[in-house]
Amino acid sequence: MKAVHFGAGNIGRGFVGLLLHEAGYEVVFADVADALIDQLASTPSYEVHEVGEKPTIKTVDNYRALNSRSQEQDVIAEISTADIVTTAVGPNVLKFLAPVIAQAIALRSDDLRPLQVMACENAINATDTLRREVEQAFDGPASDLTARAVFANTAVDRIVPNQAAGQGLDVTVETFFEWVIDRTPFEGNAPDIPGATYVDDLAPYIERKLFTVNTGHASAAYFGYAAGVEKIADAMADDAIAAKVRAVLEETKQLLVSKHGFEAAEQEAYVQKILRRFENQHLPDTVVRVGRAPLRKLSRKERFVGPAAELAETGTHPAALLEAMQAALSFTAADDPEVTALAEILATQEPGEATTSITGLEAGHPLHAPVRELIAQHSPGHHTA
């Protein structure tokens, strides 16, 4: 069995590539990072250090590595005979992979089982995005594409912090991971990947992860930054900060239970598991790294405004989420272009306009006014009109 995985970075090697290796696949890593690919191609194995509860070290071997820029035809040839293609490159990069995948699908023999394609990105329905790009790039009848490839959405979760200098190809990750896959496109032929969870409806799990893990992680970062704390784990060791994060996740729990029908006890257990992950002192994650890209994190469908807006629409005042948004508005990082862009909006737009620019909330939405009050506090002269 063979899997081609785009993205040989820490997530690719320490999460997706690891699980595919453990499932018995020969993994072909494809990436445009010359030095990384050269190192992988010349090294027979690397180690994944899982830290936290029940730490362990796992060895990954039986892989190859190709440069997807300079060895594009080789990558196409590998995909044309592969069983699985996965990605961990960032959702904005998927459009650049699509032509390569499309050409490979066109070359596949009709005798092969359909290629199973899964984008493992930190974005909702990323595989659908990839599929649309492949459809546009595919040179042939749509029926051929349908017959030769299956696209399944996934939700992935594993904290992979910045790595210590000198680790080489070895990766440090947390022990916890979650890879949830929509089983329905496979029509009974889903790949056997130990550790993956297959479900019939992925949407609740995507939102549960986004509104618990991502919301909680960013909340810890912004509250921690405001308190002058450097690491996420140290922020969670501060009772006052931990209480604020817990309050945020109480609000998102309320939404998830009512919207998706999760049992309250089940969601509470999930929240407690996530909080323990944030407290993991073995993960050197900093509040600055996790807090980066505040504009994206404050956008309409993201981790703060998304759940807060839905709660406001039901008449619930999301006080804790609003407090987290206030902290996000105060976040700074010298080398983060989104911090600069956010500051520009706050400095040049009146609060109502800035609220819509930052959050996507229109003036008539029940969350617009309370967010506008927060933004007014960051505007020159503290505008109130």
Side-chain angles (χ1 to χ4, degrees), residues 207 211 255 258-260 300-301 304-316 318 361 365-367:
E207 282 210 338
F211 294 166
L255 172 66
S258 62
K259 180 179 180 180
H260 294 300
R300 181 63 178 86
K301 300 296 184 181
F304 294 120
V305 179
E310 292 194 53
L311 287 168
E313 288 163 9
T314 65
T316 299
L361 293 165
H365 193 280
L367 190 64

Side-chain angles (χ1 to χ4, degrees), residues 59-276:
T59 300
V60 178
D61 54 15
N62 189 33
Y63 62 79
R64 292 180 286 121
L66 293 172
N67 190 309
S68 50
R69 180 165 44 210
S70 62
Q71 298 174 288
E72 182 177 289
Q73 292 304 313
D74 293 330
V75 174
I76 290 171
E78 293 289 354
I79 296 173
S80 71
T81 58
D83 300 282
I84 287 178
V85 166
T86 53
T87 76
V89 294
N92 294 333
V93 180
L94 294 174
K95 61 185 176 184
F96 300 111
L97 309 184
V100 173
I101 296 172
Q103 290 179 60
I105 293 172
L107 293 174
R108 285 178 71 84
S109 167
D110 292 333
D111 296 333
L112 294 175
R113 293 177 61 179
L115 180 68
Q116 298 172 323
V117 183
M118 295 175 283
C120 306
E121 309 292 345
N122 192 16
I124 294 175
N125 296 334
T127 308
D128 284 346
T129 301
L130 177 58
R131 175 180 51 78
R132 287 190 292 269
E133 296 287 349
V134 171
E135 287 172 347
Q136 291 183 14
F138 189 72
D139 185 15
S143 58
D144 284 357
L145 177 60
T146 302
R148 296 176 183 175
V150 174
F151 296 81
N153 283 307
T154 77
V156 292
D157 181 16
R158 185 169 223 178
I159 295 175
V160 181
N162 286 338
Q163 303 294 296
Q167 282 194 195
L169 294 174
D170 295 350
V171 189
T172 298
V173 301
E174 64 170 335
T175 52
F176 177 92
F177 69 86
E178 188 172 56
W179 186 2
V180 185
I181 303 171
D182 181 0
R183 70 158 62 93
T184 57
F186 298 114
E187 297 181 343
N189 294 308
D192 182 12
I193 303 175
T197 301
Y198 289 90
V199 298
D200 293 320
D201 183 6
L202 192 62
Y205 295 90
I206 292 176
E207 282 210 338
R208 183 175 75 165
K209 188 260 181 177
L210 178 62
F211 294 166
T212 309
V213 180
N214 297 80
T215 303
H217 212 201
S219 297
Y222 294 134
F223 289 138
Y225 181 86
V229 177
E230 181 182 0
K231 290 173 55 179
I232 292 291
D234 292 339
M236 294 304 296
D238 182 301
D239 290 342
I241 296 174
K244 290 180 179 181
V245 175
R246 172 73 222 189
V248 168
L249 297 187
E250 276 291 331
E251 291 181 350
T252 59
K253 181 180 76 172
Q254 175 186 341
L255 172 66
L256 291 165
V257 168
S258 62
K259 180 179 180 180
H260 294 300
F262 289 114
E263 293 291 336
E266 174 190 357
Q267 180 60 20
E268 176 60 25
Y270 183 72
V271 168
Q272 292 301 325
K273 183 191 303 181
I274 299 311
L275 291 172
R276 287 195 297 273

Side-chain angles (χ1 to χ4, degrees), residues 346-358:
L346 293 173
T348 60
Q349 297 182 14
E350 64 88 22
E353 180 186 5
T355 299
T356 300
S357 296
I358 295 167

